[in-house]
């Protein structure tokens, strides 16, 4: 059983690494961003609520997110563990996750903090938008430069405190740091070593 959290700013490579880990560990990748985008595409009530927050670069309210994650981790494919990507993003979400895990007798095995500088993050967001256009797809509404700058601000103000929270409350060794500036294969090598 493994409960793993991939933590870090938008564009740090959490989604890419989560997908690789999903296939190597055989446990599901739970991305709250993907879940929200799927709800928006499906036109659900939850999607309608979330859309404006996402477009503005802000966070979707905790109660919406926490309910969505609680429903997802109670599904049977999560019994052997899961990889969280993009959650928790506030200290309140982290506390709610603690409560959820406690109620099912689980703990967090690893919190991997991806370190990437702001210039690289901005470059990756712009590249993702360009790649989408080149493939004839609509870029993500939050991958334009202005909104992305807002997402970085939101990360610093509301999400970084989650790292301090975990450093204070988790046993030594649970929070680990990843050099997210390296190429994908090297990042994935670092993660394998840390989880071994
Ligand atoms: P992501 O794909 O993880 O970068 O998420 C895209 C957007 O979805 C974020 O900028 C937020 O607006 C929203 N979102 C995703 N996860 C969360 C979360 N845990 N809490 C609040 N908002 C979230």
């Amino acid at each position: 059983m493994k409960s793993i959290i991939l933590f870090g700013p938008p564009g740090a490579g959490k989604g890419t690494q989560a997908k690789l880990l999903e296939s190597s560990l055989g446990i599901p990748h739970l991305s709250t961003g993907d879940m929200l985008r799927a709800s928006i595409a499906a036109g659900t009530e939850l999607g309608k609520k979330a859309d404006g927050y996402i477009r503005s670069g802000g966070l979707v309210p905790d109660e919406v997110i926490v309910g969505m994650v609680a429903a997802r981790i109670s599904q049977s494919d999560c019994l052997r563990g899961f990889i969280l990507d993009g959650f928790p993003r506030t200290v309140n979400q982290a506390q709610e996750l603690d409560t959820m895990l406690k109620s099912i007798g689980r703990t967090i095995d690893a919190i991997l903090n991806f370190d990437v500088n702001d210039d690289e993050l901005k470059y990756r967001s712009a590249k993702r938008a360009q790649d989408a256009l080149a493939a004839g797809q609509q870029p993500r509404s939050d991958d334009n430069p202005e909104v992305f700058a807002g997402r970085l601000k939101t990360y610093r103000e509301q999400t970084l405190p989650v790292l301090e929270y975990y450093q204070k409350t988790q046993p030594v060794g649970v929070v680990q740091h990843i050099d997210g500036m390296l190429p994908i294969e090297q990042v994935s090598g670092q993660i394998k070593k840390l989880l071994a």
Side-chain angles (χ1 to χ4, degrees):
M1 222 304 296
K2 282 242 182 277
S3 312
I4 300 168
I5 297 177
L6 302 190
F7 189 87
K14 305 184 297 292
T16 303
Q17 295 299 330
K19 286 193 186 78
L20 294 171
L21 273 179
E22 178 177 54
S23 52
S24 63
L25 299 177
I27 53 176
H29 164 207
L30 312 185
S31 156
T32 43
D34 286 351
M35 292 178 208
L36 293 169
R37 283 183 289 275
S39 303
I40 293 170
T44 66
E45 280 309 307
L46 193 152
K48 281 178 199 149
K49 251 190 230 166
D51 196 25
Y53 295 103
I54 294 181
R55 283 176 187 281
S56 72
L59 294 182
V60 175
D62 286 345
E63 60 274 16
V64 175
I65 298 288
V66 168
M68 189 176 81
V69 172
R72 183 64 188 88
I73 65 176
S74 64
Q75 289 174 12
S76 61
D77 63 333
C78 292
L79 279 173
R80 292 184 46 244
F82 44 79
I83 304 151
L84 287 169
D85 158 17
F87 177 89
R89 261 178 156 102
T90 63
V91 172
N92 180 46
Q93 288 180 16
Q95 288 166 335
E96 294 281 354
L97 177 64
D98 284 347
T99 308
M100 274 182 236
L101 292 177
K102 204 168 175 196
S103 74
I104 51 175
R106 288 188 180 181
T107 52
I108 301 168
D109 298 280
I111 299 162
L112 306 179
N113 174 45
F114 286 53
D115 223 356
V116 179
N117 72 40
D118 280 12
D119 284 347
E120 175 69 13
L121 296 170
K122 286 179 194 155
Y123 167 79
R124 290 183 187 177
S125 161
K127 183 160 188 316
R128 187 158 61 183
Q130 270 172 10
D131 289 350
L133 283 174
Q137 293 158 358
Q138 178 79 8
R140 275 174 53 165
S141 63
D142 55 0
D143 265 337
N144 81 62
E146 254 167 53
V147 178
F148 193 77
R151 290 170 70 198
L152 289 179
K153 188 166 179 276
T154 302
Y155 174 76
R156 273 192 294 273
E157 292 175 357
Q158 297 188 58
T159 306
L160 255 185
V162 174
L163 191 61
E164 284 162 40
Y165 170 77
Y166 279 140
Q167 273 160 335
K168 269 193 231 139
T169 58
Q170 290 291 322
V172 174
V174 171
V175 176
Q176 297 281 355
H177 300 277
I178 301 288
D179 181 356
M181 295 291 287
L182 295 172
I184 292 171
E185 311 75 55
Q186 288 183 37
V187 173
S188 137
Q190 283 179 67
I191 294 177
K192 258 190 209 136
K193 257 192 222 154
L194 284 173
L195 295 181

PDB file of all heavy atoms in Angstrom, residues 160-180:
ATOM      1  N   LEU A 160       2.157  26.852  -0.874  1.00  0.00           N
ATOM      2  CA  LEU A 160       3.452  26.611  -0.215  1.00  0.00           C
ATOM      3  C   LEU A 160       3.325  26.348   1.298  1.00  0.00           C
ATOM      4  O   LEU A 160       4.056  25.500   1.834  1.00  0.00           O
ATOM      5  CB  LEU A 160       4.399  27.784  -0.463  1.00  0.00           C
ATOM      6  CG  LEU A 160       5.506  27.544  -1.484  1.00  0.00           C
ATOM      7  CD1 LEU A 160       6.441  28.752  -1.520  1.00  0.00           C
ATOM      8  CD2 LEU A 160       6.321  26.285  -1.181  1.00  0.00           C
ATOM      9  N   PRO A 161       2.411  27.031   1.996  1.00  0.00           N
ATOM     10  CA  PRO A 161       2.265  26.735   3.431  1.00  0.00           C
ATOM     11  C   PRO A 161       1.960  25.255   3.724  1.00  0.00           C
ATOM     12  O   PRO A 161       2.225  24.776   4.827  1.00  0.00           O
ATOM     13  CB  PRO A 161       1.108  27.638   3.884  1.00  0.00           C
ATOM     14  CG  PRO A 161       1.134  28.789   2.915  1.00  0.00           C
ATOM     15  CD  PRO A 161       1.569  28.197   1.597  1.00  0.00           C
ATOM     16  N   VAL A 162       1.429  24.548   2.727  1.00  0.00           N
ATOM     17  CA  VAL A 162       1.143  23.113   2.918  1.00  0.00           C
ATOM     18  C   VAL A 162       2.451  22.346   3.149  1.00  0.00           C
ATOM     19  O   VAL A 162       2.505  21.415   3.955  1.00  0.00           O
ATOM     20  CB  VAL A 162       0.389  22.524   1.694  1.00  0.00           C
ATOM     21  CG1 VAL A 162       0.223  21.016   1.808  1.00  0.00           C
ATOM     22  CG2 VAL A 162      -0.963  23.204   1.517  1.00  0.00           C
ATOM     23  N   LEU A 163       3.518  22.782   2.463  1.00  0.00           N
ATOM     24  CA  LEU A 163       4.811  22.111   2.617  1.00  0.00           C
ATOM     25  C   LEU A 163       5.316  22.291   4.054  1.00  0.00           C
ATOM     26  O   LEU A 163       5.778  21.336   4.688  1.00  0.00           O
ATOM     27  CB  LEU A 163       5.804  22.687   1.602  1.00  0.00           C
ATOM     28  CG  LEU A 163       7.102  21.924   1.455  1.00  0.00           C
ATOM     29  CD1 LEU A 163       6.847  20.489   0.986  1.00  0.00           C
ATOM     30  CD2 LEU A 163       8.016  22.630   0.448  1.00  0.00           C
ATOM     31  N   GLU A 164       5.192  23.509   4.559  1.00  0.00           N
ATOM     32  CA  GLU A 164       5.608  23.763   5.958  1.00  0.00           C
ATOM     33  C   GLU A 164       4.775  22.911   6.903  1.00  0.00           C
ATOM     34  O   GLU A 164       5.293  22.337   7.863  1.00  0.00           O
ATOM     35  CB  GLU A 164       5.380  25.231   6.327  1.00  0.00           C
ATOM     36  CG  GLU A 164       6.417  26.173   5.741  1.00  0.00           C
ATOM     37  CD  GLU A 164       5.920  27.611   5.757  1.00  0.00           C
ATOM     38  OE1 GLU A 164       5.279  28.027   6.746  1.00  0.00           O
ATOM     39  OE2 GLU A 164       6.150  28.311   4.738  1.00  0.00           O
ATOM     40  N   TYR A 165       3.479  22.838   6.619  1.00  0.00           N
ATOM     41  CA  TYR A 165       2.583  22.033   7.458  1.00  0.00           C
ATOM     42  C   TYR A 165       3.075  20.589   7.509  1.00  0.00           C
ATOM     43  O   TYR A 165       3.182  19.989   8.591  1.00  0.00           O
ATOM     44  CB  TYR A 165       1.156  22.112   6.890  1.00  0.00           C
ATOM     45  CG  TYR A 165       0.181  21.142   7.517  1.00  0.00           C
ATOM     46  CD1 TYR A 165      -0.362  21.383   8.785  1.00  0.00           C
ATOM     47  CD2 TYR A 165      -0.180  19.965   6.855  1.00  0.00           C
ATOM     48  CE1 TYR A 165      -1.242  20.479   9.368  1.00  0.00           C
ATOM     49  CE2 TYR A 165      -1.056  19.060   7.427  1.00  0.00           C
ATOM     50  CZ  TYR A 165      -1.586  19.319   8.681  1.00  0.00           C
ATOM     51  OH  TYR A 165      -2.451  18.418   9.269  1.00  0.00           O
ATOM     52  N   TYR A 166       3.412  20.021   6.341  1.00  0.00           N
ATOM     53  CA  TYR A 166       3.860  18.630   6.304  1.00  0.00           C
ATOM     54  C   TYR A 166       5.226  18.477   6.968  1.00  0.00           C
ATOM     55  O   TYR A 166       5.490  17.475   7.621  1.00  0.00           O
ATOM     56  CB  TYR A 166       3.896  18.112   4.866  1.00  0.00           C
ATOM     57  CG  TYR A 166       2.539  17.692   4.351  1.00  0.00           C
ATOM     58  CD1 TYR A 166       2.142  17.979   3.053  1.00  0.00           C
ATOM     59  CD2 TYR A 166       1.647  16.981   5.165  1.00  0.00           C
ATOM     60  CE1 TYR A 166       0.903  17.580   2.572  1.00  0.00           C
ATOM     61  CE2 TYR A 166       0.405  16.593   4.697  1.00  0.00           C
ATOM     62  CZ  TYR A 166       0.035  16.890   3.398  1.00  0.00           C
ATOM     63  OH  TYR A 166      -1.187  16.496   2.941  1.00  0.00           O
ATOM     64  N   GLN A 167       6.100  19.483   6.791  1.00  0.00           N
ATOM     65  CA  GLN A 167       7.408  19.372   7.434  1.00  0.00           C
ATOM     66  C   GLN A 167       7.264  19.349   8.954  1.00  0.00           C
ATOM     67  O   GLN A 167       8.025  18.690   9.647  1.00  0.00           O
ATOM     68  CB  GLN A 167       8.348  20.487   6.951  1.00  0.00           C
ATOM     69  CG  GLN A 167       9.057  20.037   5.669  1.00  0.00           C
ATOM     70  CD  GLN A 167       9.616  21.169   4.839  1.00  0.00           C
ATOM     71  OE1 GLN A 167       9.136  22.302   4.906  1.00  0.00           O
ATOM     72  NE2 GLN A 167      10.609  20.875   4.021  1.00  0.00           N
ATOM     73  N   LYS A 168       6.257  20.065   9.446  1.00  0.00           N
ATOM     74  CA  LYS A 168       6.019  20.102  10.903  1.00  0.00           C
ATOM     75  C   LYS A 168       5.331  18.845  11.407  1.00  0.00           C
ATOM     76  O   LYS A 168       5.592  18.394  12.508  1.00  0.00           O
ATOM     77  CB  LYS A 168       5.125  21.305  11.251  1.00  0.00           C
ATOM     78  CG  LYS A 168       5.912  22.555  11.568  1.00  0.00           C
ATOM     79  CD  LYS A 168       4.991  23.589  12.210  1.00  0.00           C
ATOM     80  CE  LYS A 168       5.125  24.920  11.487  1.00  0.00           C
ATOM     81  NZ  LYS A 168       3.877  25.620  11.263  1.00  0.00           N
ATOM     82  N   THR A 169       4.404  18.289  10.610  1.00  0.00           N
ATOM     83  CA  THR A 169       3.536  17.239  11.156  1.00  0.00           C
ATOM     84  C   THR A 169       3.922  15.819  10.738  1.00  0.00           C
ATOM     85  O   THR A 169       3.473  14.857  11.368  1.00  0.00           O
ATOM     86  CB  THR A 169       2.056  17.469  10.751  1.00  0.00           C
ATOM     87  OG1 THR A 169       1.973  17.500   9.315  1.00  0.00           O
ATOM     88  CG2 THR A 169       1.514  18.779  11.296  1.00  0.00           C
ATOM     89  N   GLN A 170       4.712  15.655   9.681  1.00  0.00           N
ATOM     90  CA  GLN A 170       5.035  14.302   9.207  1.00  0.00           C
ATOM     91  C   GLN A 170       6.357  13.816   9.801  1.00  0.00           C
ATOM     92  O   GLN A 170       7.242  14.627  10.060  1.00  0.00           O
ATOM     93  CB  GLN A 170       5.149  14.294   7.674  1.00  0.00           C
ATOM     94  CG  GLN A 170       3.827  14.476   6.960  1.00  0.00           C
ATOM     95  CD  GLN A 170       2.893  13.273   7.119  1.00  0.00           C
ATOM     96  OE1 GLN A 170       3.329  12.131   7.116  1.00  0.00           O
ATOM     97  NE2 GLN A 170       1.608  13.542   7.271  1.00  0.00           N
ATOM     98  N   PRO A 171       6.519  12.509   9.965  1.00  0.00           N
ATOM     99  CA  PRO A 171       7.799  11.984  10.437  1.00  0.00           C
ATOM    100  C   PRO A 171       8.929  12.368   9.469  1.00  0.00           C
ATOM    101  O   PRO A 171       8.681  12.545   8.273  1.00  0.00           O
ATOM    102  CB  PRO A 171       7.588  10.460  10.425  1.00  0.00           C
ATOM    103  CG  PRO A 171       6.127  10.251  10.358  1.00  0.00           C
ATOM    104  CD  PRO A 171       5.516  11.469   9.728  1.00  0.00           C
ATOM    105  N   VAL A 172      10.140  12.476  10.013  1.00  0.00           N
ATOM    106  CA  VAL A 172      11.302  12.818   9.179  1.00  0.00           C
ATOM    107  C   VAL A 172      11.419  11.798   8.045  1.00  0.00           C
ATOM    108  O   VAL A 172      11.208  10.600   8.252  1.00  0.00           O
ATOM    109  CB  VAL A 172      12.594  12.779  10.047  1.00  0.00           C
ATOM    110  CG1 VAL A 172      13.846  12.984   9.197  1.00  0.00           C
ATOM    111  CG2 VAL A 172      12.511  13.828  11.142  1.00  0.00           C
ATOM    112  N   GLY A 173      11.720  12.295   6.840  1.00  0.00           N
ATOM    113  CA  GLY A 173      11.917  11.378   5.715  1.00  0.00           C
ATOM    114  C   GLY A 173      10.704  11.264   4.812  1.00  0.00           C
ATOM    115  O   GLY A 173      10.825  10.801   3.680  1.00  0.00           O
ATOM    116  N   VAL A 174       9.525  11.680   5.298  1.00  0.00           N
ATOM    117  CA  VAL A 174       8.328  11.583   4.439  1.00  0.00           C
ATOM    118  C   VAL A 174       8.390  12.656   3.347  1.00  0.00           C
ATOM    119  O   VAL A 174       8.123  12.387   2.176  1.00  0.00           O
ATOM    120  CB  VAL A 174       7.025  11.681   5.273  1.00  0.00           C
ATOM    121  CG1 VAL A 174       5.806  11.802   4.363  1.00  0.00           C
ATOM    122  CG2 VAL A 174       6.884  10.461   6.169  1.00  0.00           C
ATOM    123  N   VAL A 175       8.784  13.890   3.738  1.00  0.00           N
ATOM    124  CA  VAL A 175       8.916  14.948   2.733  1.00  0.00           C
ATOM    125  C   VAL A 175      10.291  14.826   2.077  1.00  0.00           C
ATOM    126  O   VAL A 175      11.311  14.834   2.765  1.00  0.00           O
ATOM    127  CB  VAL A 175       8.766  16.358   3.368  1.00  0.00           C
ATOM    128  CG1 VAL A 175       9.001  17.443   2.312  1.00  0.00           C
ATOM    129  CG2 VAL A 175       7.399  16.525   4.012  1.00  0.00           C
ATOM    130  N   GLN A 176      10.288  14.677   0.755  1.00  0.00           N
ATOM    131  CA  GLN A 176      11.550  14.544   0.015  1.00  0.00           C
ATOM    132  C   GLN A 176      11.562  15.565  -1.120  1.00  0.00           C
ATOM    133  O   GLN A 176      10.506  15.947  -1.627  1.00  0.00           O
ATOM    134  CB  GLN A 176      11.643  13.142  -0.613  1.00  0.00           C
ATOM    135  CG  GLN A 176      11.684  12.013   0.398  1.00  0.00           C
ATOM    136  CD  GLN A 176      13.064  11.822   1.031  1.00  0.00           C
ATOM    137  OE1 GLN A 176      14.036  12.470   0.656  1.00  0.00           O
ATOM    138  NE2 GLN A 176      13.147  10.923   1.995  1.00  0.00           N
ATOM    139  N   HIS A 177      12.752  16.002  -1.513  1.00  0.00           N
ATOM    140  CA  HIS A 177      12.855  17.039  -2.536  1.00  0.00           C
ATOM    141  C   HIS A 177      13.385  16.470  -3.846  1.00  0.00           C
ATOM    142  O   HIS A 177      14.308  15.666  -3.860  1.00  0.00           O
ATOM    143  CB  HIS A 177      13.716  18.188  -2.036  1.00  0.00           C
ATOM    144  CG  HIS A 177      13.133  18.814  -0.812  1.00  0.00           C
ATOM    145  ND1 HIS A 177      12.141  19.762  -0.871  1.00  0.00           N
ATOM    146  CD2 HIS A 177      13.334  18.549   0.504  1.00  0.00           C
ATOM    147  CE1 HIS A 177      11.783  20.081   0.369  1.00  0.00           C
ATOM    148  NE2 HIS A 177      12.489  19.358   1.216  1.00  0.00           N
ATOM    149  N   ILE A 178      12.743  16.917  -4.927  1.00  0.00           N
ATOM    150  CA  ILE A 178      13.069  16.427  -6.258  1.00  0.00           C
ATOM    151  C   ILE A 178      13.566  17.619  -7.079  1.00  0.00           C
ATOM    152  O   ILE A 178      12.921  18.672  -7.069  1.00  0.00           O
ATOM    153  CB  ILE A 178      11.764  15.911  -6.945  1.00  0.00           C
ATOM    154  CG1 ILE A 178      11.116  14.793  -6.128  1.00  0.00           C
ATOM    155  CG2 ILE A 178      11.989  15.506  -8.381  1.00  0.00           C
ATOM    156  CD1 ILE A 178      11.860  13.507  -6.170  1.00  0.00           C
ATOM    157  N   ASP A 179      14.668  17.443  -7.805  1.00  0.00           N
ATOM    158  CA  ASP A 179      15.118  18.500  -8.706  1.00  0.00           C
ATOM    159  C   ASP A 179      14.328  18.398 -10.014  1.00  0.00           C
ATOM    160  O   ASP A 179      14.669  17.605 -10.891  1.00  0.00           O
ATOM    161  CB  ASP A 179      16.626  18.365  -8.961  1.00  0.00           C
ATOM    162  CG  ASP A 179      17.136  19.466  -9.883  1.00  0.00           C
ATOM    163  OD1 ASP A 179      16.320  20.276 -10.372  1.00  0.00           O
ATOM    164  OD2 ASP A 179      18.362  19.519 -10.111  1.00  0.00           O
ATOM    165  N   GLY A 180      13.274  19.194 -10.096  1.00  0.00           N
ATOM    166  CA  GLY A 180      12.368  19.126 -11.249  1.00  0.00           C
ATOM    167  C   GLY A 180      12.878  19.846 -12.481  1.00  0.00           C
ATOM    168  O   GLY A 180      12.203  19.884 -13.502  1.00  0.00           O
TER     169      GLY A 180
END
